[in-house]
Coordinates of all heavy atoms in Angstrom, one line a residue:
M1 N 1.1 -26.1 51.8 CA 0.5 -25.3 50.7 C -0.8 -24.7 51.2 O -1.7 -25.4 51.6 CB 0.3 -26.2 49.5 CG 0.0 -25.4 48.2 SD 0.0 -26.6 46.8 CE -0.3 -25.4 45.6
P2 N -1.0 -23.4 51.0 CA -2.2 -22.8 51.5 C -3.4 -23.2 50.6 O -3.2 -23.4 49.4 CB -1.9 -21.3 51.4 CG -0.8 -21.1 50.4 CD 0.0 -22.4 50.5
I3 N -4.6 -23.2 51.2 CA -5.8 -23.6 50.5 C -6.1 -22.5 49.5 O -6.5 -22.7 48.3 CB -7.0 -23.8 51.4 CG1 -6.6 -25.0 52.3 CG2 -8.2 -24.1 50.6 CD1 -7.6 -25.2 53.5
F4 N -6.0 -21.2 49.9 CA -6.3 -20.1 49.1 C -5.0 -19.4 48.7 O -4.5 -18.6 49.6 CB -7.3 -19.1 49.7 CG -8.6 -19.7 50.1 CD1 -8.9 -20.0 51.4 CD2 -9.5 -20.1 49.1 CE1 -10.1 -20.6 51.7 CE2 -10.7 -20.7 49.4 CZ -11.0 -21.0 50.7
P5 N -4.5 -19.6 47.6 CA -3.2 -19.0 47.2 C -3.4 -17.4 47.2 O -4.4 -16.9 46.7 CB -2.8 -19.5 45.8 CG -4.1 -20.1 45.3 CD -5.0 -20.4 46.5
R6 N -2.4 -16.8 47.8 CA -2.5 -15.3 47.8 C -2.3 -14.7 46.4 O -1.5 -15.1 45.6 CB -1.4 -14.7 48.8 CG -1.8 -15.0 50.2 CD -0.9 -14.3 51.1 NE 0.3 -13.6 50.5 CZ 1.4 -13.3 51.2 NH1 1.5 -13.6 52.5 NH2 2.4 -12.7 50.7
K7 N -3.2 -13.7 46.2 CA -3.0 -13.0 44.9 C -1.8 -12.1 45.0 O -1.5 -11.6 46.0 CB -4.3 -12.1 44.7 CG -5.5 -12.8 44.3 CD -6.6 -11.7 44.0 CE -7.8 -12.4 43.4 NZ -8.8 -11.4 43.1
P8 N -1.1 -12.0 43.9 CA 0.1 -11.1 43.9 C -0.4 -9.7 44.1 O -1.5 -9.3 43.7 CB 0.7 -11.3 42.5 CG -0.4 -11.9 41.6 CD -1.3 -12.7 42.6
K9 N 0.4 -8.9 44.7 CA 0.0 -7.5 45.0 C 0.1 -6.6 43.8 O -0.4 -5.5 43.8 CB 1.0 -6.9 46.1 CG 0.7 -7.6 47.4 CD 1.6 -7.0 48.5 CE 1.4 -7.7 49.8 NZ 2.4 -7.4 50.8
Y10 N 0.7 -7.1 42.7 CA 0.8 -6.3 41.5 C 0.7 -7.2 40.3 O 0.8 -8.4 40.4 CB 2.1 -5.5 41.4 CG 3.3 -6.3 41.6 CD1 3.9 -6.9 40.5 CD2 3.9 -6.6 42.8 CE1 5.0 -7.7 40.6 CE2 5.0 -7.4 43.0 CZ 5.5 -7.9 41.8 OH 6.6 -8.7 42.0
T11 N 0.4 -6.7 39.2 CA 0.2 -7.5 38.0 C 1.3 -7.0 37.0 O 1.6 -5.8 36.8 CB -1.1 -7.2 37.3 OG1 -2.1 -7.4 38.3 CG2 -1.4 -8.2 36.2
I12 N 2.0 -8.0 36.5 CA 3.0 -7.7 35.5 C 2.3 -7.6 34.1 O 1.6 -8.5 33.6 CB 4.1 -8.8 35.4 CG1 4.8 -8.9 36.7 CG2 5.1 -8.5 34.3 CD1 5.6 -10.2 36.9
V13 N 2.4 -6.4 33.5 CA 1.8 -6.1 32.2 C 2.9 -6.2 31.2 O 3.9 -5.4 31.2 CB 1.1 -4.7 32.2 CG1 0.5 -4.5 30.8 CG2 0.1 -4.6 33.3
K14 N 2.8 -7.2 30.3 CA 3.8 -7.3 29.3 C 3.4 -6.4 28.1 O 2.3 -6.5 27.5 CB 3.8 -8.7 28.7 CG 4.5 -9.7 29.7 CD 4.6 -11.1 29.1 CE 5.3 -12.0 30.2 NZ 5.3 -13.4 29.7
V15 N 4.3 -5.4 27.8 CA 4.0 -4.5 26.8 C 4.7 -5.0 25.5 O 5.9 -5.2 25.5 CB 4.5 -3.1 27.1 CG1 4.3 -2.1 26.0 CG2 3.8 -2.6 28.4
A16 N 3.9 -5.2 24.5 CA 4.5 -5.7 23.3 C 5.4 -4.6 22.7 O 5.1 -3.5 22.6 CB 3.4 -6.0 22.3
K17 N 6.6 -5.1 22.3 CA 7.6 -4.2 21.7 C 7.0 -3.8 20.3 O 6.6 -4.6 19.5 CB 8.9 -4.9 21.5 CG 10.0 -4.1 22.2 CD 11.3 -4.8 21.9 CE 12.5 -4.0 22.6 NZ 13.8 -4.7 22.3
K18 N 7.0 -2.5 20.1 CA 6.6 -2.0 18.8 C 7.6 -2.3 17.7 O 8.7 -1.8 17.8 CB 6.4 -0.5 18.9 CG 5.2 0.0 18.1 CD 5.0 1.5 18.3 CE 3.8 1.9 17.5 NZ 3.6 3.4 17.6
R19 N 7.2 -3.2 16.9 CA 8.2 -3.6 15.8 C 8.2 -2.5 14.7 O 7.2 -1.9 14.4 CB 7.8 -4.9 15.2 CG 8.2 -6.1 16.2 CD 7.9 -7.4 15.5 NE 6.5 -7.6 15.5 CZ 5.9 -8.4 14.7 NH1 6.5 -9.2 13.9 NH2 4.5 -8.6 14.7
D20 N 9.3 -2.3 14.1 CA 9.4 -1.4 13.0 C 8.9 -2.0 11.7 O 9.6 -2.7 11.0 CB 10.8 -0.9 12.8 CG 11.3 -0.1 14.0 OD1 10.5 0.7 14.6 OD2 12.5 -0.2 14.4
I21 N 7.6 -1.7 11.4 CA 7.0 -2.2 10.2 C 7.1 -1.1 9.2 O 6.4 0.0 9.4 CB 5.6 -2.7 10.4 CG1 5.6 -3.9 11.4 CG2 5.0 -3.2 9.1 CD1 4.2 -4.3 11.9
P22 N 7.8 -1.2 8.1 CA 7.8 -0.1 7.1 C 6.4 0.2 6.6 O 5.6 -0.7 6.3 CB 8.7 -0.7 6.0 CG 9.4 -1.8 6.6 CD 8.6 -2.4 7.6
D23 N 6.1 1.5 6.4 CA 4.8 1.9 6.0 C 4.5 1.4 4.6 O 3.3 1.3 4.2 CB 4.7 3.4 6.0 CG 4.7 4.0 7.4 OD1 4.4 3.2 8.3 OD2 5.1 5.1 7.6
D24 N 5.5 1.2 3.8 CA 5.3 0.9 2.4 C 4.9 -0.6 2.2 O 4.8 -1.1 1.0 CB 6.4 1.3 1.5 CG 7.7 0.7 1.9 OD1 7.8 0.1 3.0 OD2 8.7 0.8 1.1
L25 N 4.7 -1.4 3.2 CA 4.4 -2.8 3.1 C 2.9 -3.0 3.0 O 2.5 -4.0 2.4 CB 4.9 -3.6 4.3 CG 6.3 -4.1 4.4 CD1 6.6 -4.8 5.6 CD2 6.6 -5.0 3.2
W26 N 2.1 -2.1 3.4 CA 0.7 -2.2 3.5 C 0.0 -1.0 2.8 O 0.5 0.1 2.9 CB 0.2 -2.3 4.9 CG 0.7 -3.5 5.6 CD1 1.9 -3.6 6.3 CD2 0.2 -4.8 5.7 NE1 2.1 -4.8 6.8 CE2 1.1 -5.6 6.5 CE3 -1.0 -5.4 5.2 CZ2 0.8 -7.0 6.7 CZ3 -1.2 -6.7 5.5 CH2 -0.3 -7.5 6.3
T27 N -1.2 -1.2 2.3 CA -2.0 -0.2 1.7 C -3.4 -0.3 2.2 O -3.9 -1.4 2.3 CB -2.0 -0.2 0.1 OG1 -0.7 -0.1 -0.3 CG2 -2.8 0.8 -0.5
R28 N -4.0 0.8 2.6 CA -5.4 0.8 3.1 C -6.3 1.1 1.9 O -6.1 2.0 1.2 CB -5.6 1.8 4.2 CG -7.0 1.6 4.9 CD -7.1 2.4 6.1 NE -6.2 2.0 7.2 CZ -6.5 0.9 8.0 NH1 -7.5 0.2 7.8 NH2 -5.6 0.6 9.0
C29 N -7.3 0.2 1.7 CA -8.2 0.4 0.6 C -9.0 1.7 0.8 O -9.5 2.0 1.9 CB -9.2 -0.8 0.5 SG -10.4 -0.6 -0.8
E30 N -9.1 2.5 -0.3 CA -9.8 3.8 -0.2 C -11.3 3.6 -0.1 O -12.0 4.5 0.4 CB -9.5 4.6 -1.4 CG -8.0 5.0 -1.6 CD -7.7 5.6 -2.9 OE1 -8.6 6.3 -3.6 OE2 -6.6 5.4 -3.4
E31 N -11.8 2.4 -0.5 CA -13.2 2.2 -0.5 C -13.7 1.5 0.8 O -14.6 2.0 1.5 CB -13.6 1.3 -1.7 CG -15.0 1.2 -2.0 CD -15.7 2.5 -2.4 OE1 -15.0 3.3 -3.0 OE2 -16.9 2.6 -2.2
C32 N -13.1 0.4 1.2 CA -13.6 -0.4 2.3 C -12.7 -0.4 3.5 O -12.9 -1.0 4.5 CB -13.8 -1.8 1.9 SG -12.3 -2.8 1.6
S33 N -11.5 0.4 3.5 CA -10.6 0.5 4.6 C -9.9 -0.7 4.9 O -9.2 -0.8 6.0 CB -11.3 1.1 5.8 OG -11.8 2.4 5.5
E34 N -10.0 -1.8 4.1 CA -9.2 -3.0 4.4 C -7.7 -2.8 4.2 O -7.3 -2.0 3.3 CB -9.7 -4.1 3.4 CG -8.9 -5.4 3.5 CD -9.5 -6.3 4.5 OE1 -10.4 -5.9 5.3 OE2 -9.1 -7.5 4.6
L35 N -6.9 -3.3 5.2 CA -5.5 -3.2 5.1 C -5.0 -4.4 4.2 O -5.2 -5.5 4.6 CB -4.9 -3.3 6.5 CG -3.6 -2.6 6.7 CD1 -3.6 -1.2 6.3 CD2 -3.2 -2.7 8.2
I36 N -4.3 -4.0 3.1 CA -3.9 -5.1 2.2 C -2.4 -5.1 2.1 O -1.7 -4.0 1.9 CB -4.5 -4.8 0.8 CG1 -6.0 -4.5 0.9 CG2 -4.3 -6.0 -0.2 CD1 -6.5 -3.7 -0.3
Y37 N -1.8 -6.3 2.1 CA -0.4 -6.4 2.0 C 0.0 -6.1 0.5 O -0.6 -6.6 -0.4 CB 0.0 -7.9 2.3 CG 1.5 -8.2 2.4 CD1 2.3 -7.4 3.1 CD2 2.0 -9.3 1.7 CE1 3.7 -7.6 3.2 CE2 3.3 -9.6 1.8 CZ 4.2 -8.8 2.5 OH 5.5 -9.0 2.6
N38 N 0.9 -5.2 0.3 CA 1.2 -4.7 -1.0 C 1.6 -5.8 -2.0 O 1.2 -5.7 -3.2 CB 2.4 -3.7 -0.9 CG 1.9 -2.3 -0.5 OD1 0.7 -2.0 -0.5 ND2 2.9 -1.5 -0.1
K39 N 2.2 -6.8 -1.6 CA 2.6 -7.9 -2.5 C 1.3 -8.6 -3.0 O 1.2 -8.9 -4.2 CB 3.4 -8.9 -1.8 CG 4.2 -9.8 -2.7 CD 5.1 -10.8 -1.8 CE 5.7 -11.8 -2.7 NZ 6.4 -12.8 -2.0
K40 N 0.3 -8.7 -2.1 CA -1.0 -9.3 -2.5 C -1.7 -8.4 -3.4 O -2.4 -8.8 -4.4 CB -1.8 -9.6 -1.3 CG -1.3 -10.7 -0.4 CD -1.6 -12.1 -0.9 CE -1.0 -13.1 0.0 NZ -0.9 -14.4 -0.7
L41 N -1.6 -7.1 -3.2 CA -2.3 -6.1 -4.0 C -1.7 -6.1 -5.4 O -2.5 -6.0 -6.4 CB -2.2 -4.7 -3.3 CG -3.0 -3.6 -3.9 CD1 -4.5 -3.9 -3.8 CD2 -2.7 -2.3 -3.2
D42 N -0.4 -6.2 -5.5 CA 0.2 -6.3 -6.8 C -0.2 -7.5 -7.6 O -0.4 -7.5 -8.8 CB 1.7 -6.2 -6.7 CG 2.2 -4.8 -6.3 OD1 1.4 -3.8 -6.6 OD2 3.3 -4.6 -5.8
E43 N -0.2 -8.6 -6.8 CA -0.7 -9.9 -7.5 C -2.1 -9.8 -8.0 O -2.4 -10.5 -9.0 CB -0.5 -11.1 -6.4 CG 0.9 -11.5 -6.2 CD 1.0 -12.5 -5.0 OE1 0.0 -12.9 -4.5 OE2 2.2 -12.8 -4.6
A44 N -2.9 -9.0 -7.3 CA -4.3 -8.9 -7.7 C -4.5 -7.7 -8.7 O -5.6 -7.3 -8.9 CB -5.2 -8.6 -6.5
L45 N -3.3 -7.3 -9.3 CA -3.3 -6.2 -10.3 C -4.0 -5.0 -9.8 O -4.7 -4.3 -10.5 CB -4.0 -6.7 -11.6 CG -3.4 -8.0 -12.2 CD1 -4.2 -8.4 -13.5 CD2 -1.9 -7.8 -12.5
R46 N -3.6 -4.6 -8.5 CA -4.1 -3.4 -7.9 C -5.6 -3.3 -7.7 O -6.2 -2.2 -7.9 CB -3.5 -2.2 -8.6 CG -2.0 -2.2 -8.9 CD -1.2 -1.9 -7.7 NE -1.3 -0.6 -7.2 CZ -0.9 -0.2 -6.0 NH1 -0.3 -1.1 -5.2 NH2 -1.1 1.0 -5.5
V47 N -6.2 -4.4 -7.5 CA -7.7 -4.5 -7.2 C -7.8 -5.0 -5.8 O -7.3 -6.1 -5.4 CB -8.4 -5.4 -8.2 CG1 -9.9 -5.5 -7.9 CG2 -8.2 -4.9 -9.6
C48 N -8.7 -4.3 -5.0 CA -8.9 -4.8 -3.6 C -9.5 -6.2 -3.6 O -10.6 -6.4 -4.2 CB -9.8 -3.8 -2.9 SG -10.2 -4.3 -1.2
P49 N -8.9 -7.1 -2.8 CA -9.5 -8.5 -2.8 C -10.8 -8.5 -2.0 O -11.6 -9.5 -2.2 CB -8.5 -9.3 -2.1 CG -7.6 -8.3 -1.4 CD -7.7 -7.0 -2.1
K50 N -11.1 -7.5 -1.2 CA -12.3 -7.6 -0.4 C -13.5 -6.9 -1.2 O -14.6 -7.5 -1.2 CB -12.1 -6.8 0.9 CG -13.3 -7.0 1.9 CD -13.0 -6.3 3.2 CE -14.2 -6.4 4.1 NZ -14.0 -5.5 5.3
C51 N -13.3 -5.7 -1.7 CA -14.4 -5.0 -2.3 C -14.3 -4.7 -3.8 O -15.1 -4.1 -4.4 CB -14.7 -3.7 -1.6 SG -13.4 -2.4 -2.0
S52 N -13.2 -5.2 -4.4 CA -12.9 -5.0 -5.9 C -12.7 -3.6 -6.3 O -12.9 -3.2 -7.4 CB -14.0 -5.6 -6.7 OG -14.1 -7.0 -6.5
F53 N -12.3 -2.7 -5.3 CA -12.0 -1.4 -5.7 C -10.7 -1.4 -6.5 O -9.7 -2.1 -6.2 CB -11.7 -0.5 -4.4 CG -11.2 0.9 -4.6 CD1 -12.1 1.8 -5.1 CD2 -9.9 1.2 -4.5 CE1 -11.7 3.1 -5.3 CE2 -9.4 2.5 -4.7 CZ -10.3 3.5 -5.1
H54 N -10.7 -0.6 -7.6 CA -9.5 -0.5 -8.5 C -8.7 0.7 -8.1 O -9.2 1.8 -8.2 CB -10.0 -0.4 -10.0 CG -10.5 -1.6 -10.5 ND1 -11.7 -2.3 -10.0 CD2 -10.1 -2.4 -11.5 CE1 -11.9 -3.4 -10.7 NE2 -11.0 -3.5 -11.6
F55 N -7.5 0.5 -7.7 CA -6.6 1.5 -7.3 C -6.0 2.2 -8.6 O -6.0 1.5 -9.6 CB -5.4 1.0 -6.5 CG -5.7 0.6 -5.1 CD1 -6.3 -0.6 -4.8 CD2 -5.5 1.5 -4.1 CE1 -6.6 -1.0 -3.5 CE2 -5.8 1.1 -2.7 CZ -6.4 -0.1 -2.5
T56 N -5.7 3.4 -8.5 CA -5.1 4.1 -9.7 C -3.8 3.5 -10.0 O -3.0 3.1 -9.2 CB -4.9 5.6 -9.4 OG1 -4.5 5.8 -8.1 CG2 -6.1 6.4 -9.7
L57 N -3.5 3.4 -11.3 CA -2.2 2.9 -11.8 C -1.5 4.1 -12.4 O -2.0 4.9 -13.2 CB -2.5 1.9 -12.9 CG -2.8 0.4 -12.5 CD1 -3.0 -0.4 -13.7 CD2 -1.7 -0.1 -11.6
G58 N -0.2 4.2 -12.1 CA 0.6 5.1 -12.8 C 1.0 4.7 -14.2 O 0.8 3.5 -14.5
A59 N 1.5 5.6 -15.0 CA 1.9 5.2 -16.3 C 2.9 4.0 -16.4 O 2.7 3.1 -17.1 CB 2.5 6.4 -17.0
R60 N 3.9 4.1 -15.5 CA 4.9 3.0 -15.5 C 4.3 1.7 -15.0 O 4.6 0.6 -15.6 CB 6.1 3.4 -14.5 CG 6.8 4.6 -15.0 CD 7.7 4.3 -16.1 NE 8.1 5.6 -16.8 CZ 8.7 5.6 -18.0 NH1 9.0 4.5 -18.7 NH2 9.0 6.8 -18.5
E61 N 3.4 1.7 -14.0 CA 2.8 0.5 -13.6 C 2.0 -0.1 -14.7 O 2.0 -1.3 -14.8 CB 1.9 0.8 -12.3 CG 2.7 1.1 -11.1 CD 1.7 1.6 -10.0 OE1 1.0 2.6 -10.2 OE2 1.7 1.0 -8.9
R62 N 1.2 0.7 -15.4 CA 0.4 0.2 -16.5 C 1.2 -0.4 -17.6 O 0.9 -1.5 -18.1 CB -0.5 1.3 -17.0 CG -1.6 0.8 -17.9 CD -2.6 1.9 -18.3 NE -3.4 2.4 -17.1 CZ -4.4 1.7 -16.6 NH1 -4.9 0.6 -17.2 NH2 -5.1 2.2 -15.6
I63 N 2.3 0.3 -17.9 CA 3.2 -0.3 -19.0 C 3.8 -1.6 -18.5 O 3.8 -2.6 -19.3 CB 4.4 0.7 -19.2 CG1 3.9 1.9 -20.0 CG2 5.5 0.1 -20.0 CD1 4.8 3.1 -20.0
N64 N 4.2 -1.7 -17.2 CA 4.7 -3.0 -16.7 C 3.7 -4.1 -16.8 O 4.1 -5.3 -16.9 CB 5.2 -2.8 -15.3 CG 6.5 -2.0 -15.2 OD1 7.2 -1.8 -16.2 ND2 6.7 -1.4 -14.1
L65 N 2.4 -3.8 -16.6 CA 1.4 -4.8 -16.7 C 1.1 -5.3 -18.1 O 0.8 -6.5 -18.3 CB 0.0 -4.3 -16.1 CG -0.1 -4.1 -14.6 CD1 -1.5 -3.5 -14.3 CD2 0.0 -5.5 -14.0
L66 N 1.3 -4.4 -19.1 CA 0.9 -4.7 -20.4 C 2.0 -5.2 -21.3 O 1.8 -6.0 -22.2 CB 0.3 -3.4 -21.1 CG -1.0 -2.9 -20.5 CD1 -1.3 -1.5 -21.1 CD2 -2.1 -3.9 -20.6
I67 N 3.2 -4.7 -21.1 CA 4.3 -5.0 -22.0 C 5.2 -6.1 -21.4 O 5.4 -6.2 -20.2 CB 5.2 -3.7 -22.2 CG1 4.3 -2.5 -22.6 CG2 6.3 -3.9 -23.2 CD1 3.6 -2.6 -23.9
D68 N 5.8 -7.0 -22.3 CA 6.7 -8.0 -21.9 C 7.9 -7.3 -21.1 O 8.4 -6.3 -21.6 CB 7.2 -8.8 -23.1 CG 6.2 -9.7 -23.6 OD1 5.3 -10.1 -22.8 OD2 6.2 -10.0 -24.8
E69 N 8.3 -7.9 -20.1 CA 9.4 -7.4 -19.2 C 10.6 -7.1 -20.1 O 11.1 -7.9 -20.8 CB 9.7 -8.4 -18.1 CG 10.4 -7.7 -17.0 CD 10.7 -8.7 -15.8 OE1 9.7 -9.5 -15.5 OE2 11.7 -8.7 -15.2
G70 N 11.1 -5.9 -19.9 CA 12.4 -5.5 -20.6 C 12.2 -5.1 -22.0 O 13.2 -4.8 -22.7
S71 N 11.0 -5.2 -22.6 CA 10.8 -4.9 -24.0 C 10.4 -3.5 -24.3 O 10.4 -3.1 -25.4 CB 9.8 -5.9 -24.6 OG 8.5 -5.6 -24.1
F72 N 10.0 -2.7 -23.3 CA 9.5 -1.4 -23.5 C 10.7 -0.4 -23.7 O 11.6 -0.3 -22.9 CB 8.7 -0.9 -22.3 CG 8.2 0.5 -22.5 CD1 7.1 0.8 -23.4 CD2 8.7 1.5 -21.7 CE1 6.7 2.1 -23.5 CE2 8.2 2.8 -21.9 CZ 7.2 3.1 -22.8
V73 N 10.6 0.3 -24.8 CA 11.6 1.4 -25.1 C 10.8 2.7 -25.3 O 10.0 2.8 -26.2 CB 12.4 1.0 -26.4 CG1 13.4 2.1 -26.7 CG2 13.1 -0.3 -26.3
E74 N 11.1 3.6 -24.4 CA 10.4 4.9 -24.5 C 11.0 5.7 -25.6 O 12.2 5.8 -25.8 CB 10.5 5.7 -23.2 CG 9.7 6.9 -23.1 CD 9.8 7.6 -21.8 OE1 10.5 7.1 -20.9 OE2 9.1 8.6 -21.6
M75 N 10.1 6.4 -26.4 CA 10.6 7.2 -27.5 C 10.1 8.6 -27.2 O 9.1 8.9 -26.6 CB 10.0 6.7 -28.8 CG 10.5 5.3 -29.2 SD 9.6 4.6 -30.6 CE 10.4 5.5 -31.9
D76 N 10.9 9.6 -27.7 CA 10.6 11.0 -27.6 C 10.1 11.4 -26.2 O 9.1 12.1 -26.0 CB 9.4 11.3 -28.6 CG 9.8 11.0 -30.0 OD1 11.0 11.3 -30.4 OD2 9.0 10.4 -30.7
A77 N 10.9 11.0 -25.2 CA 10.6 11.3 -23.8 C 10.6 12.8 -23.5 O 9.9 13.3 -22.6 CB 11.6 10.6 -22.9
D78 N 11.3 13.6 -24.3 CA 11.4 15.0 -24.1 C 10.4 15.8 -24.9 O 10.3 17.0 -24.9 CB 12.8 15.5 -24.4 CG 13.3 15.2 -25.8 OD1 12.6 14.3 -26.4 OD2 14.3 15.8 -26.3
M79 N 9.5 15.0 -25.6 CA 8.5 15.7 -26.4 C 7.4 16.4 -25.5 O 7.0 15.8 -24.5 CB 7.8 14.7 -27.3 CG 6.7 15.3 -28.2 SD 5.8 14.0 -29.1 CE 7.1 13.5 -30.3
E80 N 7.0 17.6 -25.8 CA 6.0 18.3 -25.0 C 4.8 18.5 -25.9 O 4.8 18.6 -27.1 CB 6.6 19.6 -24.6 CG 7.6 19.5 -23.5 CD 8.1 20.9 -23.0 OE1 7.3 21.8 -23.1 OE2 9.3 21.0 -22.6
T81 N 3.7 18.6 -25.2 CA 2.4 18.9 -25.9 C 2.4 20.3 -26.3 O 3.0 21.2 -25.7 CB 1.2 18.6 -25.0 OG1 1.3 19.3 -23.8 CG2 1.1 17.1 -24.7
L82 N 1.6 20.6 -27.4 CA 1.4 22.0 -27.8 C 0.4 22.6 -26.8 O -0.3 21.8 -26.1 CB 0.8 22.0 -29.2 CG 1.7 21.5 -30.3 CD1 1.0 21.5 -31.6 CD2 3.0 22.4 -30.4
D83 N 0.3 23.9 -26.7 CA -0.6 24.5 -25.8 C -1.4 25.5 -26.5 O -1.3 26.8 -26.3 CB 0.2 25.2 -24.7 CG -0.6 25.7 -23.5 OD1 -1.8 25.3 -23.4 OD2 -0.1 26.6 -22.8
P84 N -2.3 25.0 -27.4 CA -3.1 26.0 -28.3 C -4.0 26.9 -27.5 O -4.4 27.9 -28.0 CB -3.9 25.0 -29.2 CG -3.9 23.7 -28.5 CD -2.7 23.7 -27.7
L85 N -4.4 26.5 -26.3 CA -5.4 27.3 -25.5 C -4.7 28.2 -24.5 O -5.3 28.8 -23.7 CB -6.4 26.4 -24.8 CG -7.3 25.6 -25.8 CD1 -8.2 24.7 -25.0 CD2 -8.1 26.5 -26.7
N86 N -3.3 28.1 -24.5 CA -2.5 28.9 -23.5 C -2.9 28.6 -22.1 O -3.0 29.5 -21.3 CB -2.6 30.4 -23.8 CG -2.0 30.7 -25.1 OD1 -0.9 30.2 -25.5 ND2 -2.6 31.6 -25.9
L87 N -3.1 27.4 -21.8 CA -3.5 27.0 -20.4 C -2.4 27.1 -19.4 O -2.6 27.4 -18.3 CB -4.0 25.5 -20.4 CG -5.3 25.3 -21.2 CD1 -5.6 23.8 -21.3 CD2 -6.5 26.0 -20.5
R88 N -1.2 27.0 -19.9 CA 0.0 27.0 -19.0 C 0.3 28.5 -18.6 O 0.9 28.7 -17.6 CB 1.2 26.4 -19.7 CG 1.2 24.9 -19.6 CD 2.5 24.3 -20.0 NE 2.2 23.4 -21.1 CZ 3.0 22.9 -22.0 NH1 4.2 23.4 -22.1 NH2 2.6 22.1 -22.9
K89 N -0.1 29.4 -19.4 CA 0.2 30.8 -19.0 C -0.8 31.4 -18.1 O -0.6 32.5 -17.6 CB 0.3 31.6 -20.3 CG 1.5 31.3 -21.2 CD 1.6 32.0 -22.5 CE 2.8 31.6 -23.3 NZ 2.7 32.1 -24.7
R90 N -1.9 30.7 -17.8 CA -2.9 31.3 -17.0 C -2.5 31.2 -15.5 O -1.8 30.4 -15.1 CB -4.2 30.6 -17.2 CG -4.8 31.0 -18.5 CD -6.2 30.3 -18.7 NE -6.6 30.5 -20.1 CZ -7.7 30.1 -20.6 NH1 -8.6 29.4 -19.8 NH2 -8.0 30.3 -21.8
Ligands
LIG101 ZN1 -11.6 -2.5 -0.6

């Protein structure tokens, strides 16, 4: 056995295989840029656990937070607002 083992002439670089992680699993905080697992974000009621930034909630998300599951019945879904200032025609 040699006293000074010879160095290999080349180095084997192990390249980690890029795993397919779906983009919808993680959300980046708009305030502190923390990467938050979406399940954790939902458990925290859409509030960043690091900086307490409140993410926007859609109408359906808000209803799901407030109303007992399966009890919400939407009424007059086809109802439209009046446009007294003619904003839509501009
Ligand atoms: Zn944050």
Side-chain angles (χ1 to χ4, degrees):
M1 192 172 183
I3 299 171
F4 302 105
R6 286 190 352 203
K7 281 185 174 180
K9 290 178 181 170
Y10 55 89
T11 310
I12 298 168
V13 179
K14 287 184 181 175
V15 179
K17 236 183 178 182
K18 218 178 183 183
R19 284 182 289 160
D20 292 324
I21 301 170
D23 290 338
D24 57 349
L25 275 180
W26 299 88
T27 300
R28 189 168 294 282
C29 177
E30 295 169 33
E31 190 68 26
C32 71
S33 300
E34 177 83 351
L35 205 55
I36 312 159
Y37 188 48
N38 279 345
K39 200 177 169 187
K40 293 281 177 196
L41 191 58
D42 287 339
E43 284 171 8
L45 305 177
R46 310 286 296 163
V47 176
C48 175
K50 189 179 177 192
C51 74
S52 300
F53 174 78
H54 287 61
F55 286 82
T56 37
L57 278 179
R60 296 286 162 192
E61 289 172 304
R62 192 170 292 280
I63 287 167
N64 290 339
L65 283 178
L66 297 173
I67 309 293
D68 288 333
E69 199 176 321
S71 68
F72 179 72
V73 180
E74 186 175 2
M75 299 170 74
D76 301 317
D78 56 344
M79 184 186 284
E80 288 184 27
T81 57
L82 295 174
D83 189 19
L85 301 176
N86 292 320
L87 294 169
R88 279 188 236 158
K89 291 179 182 170
R90 290 182 188 181

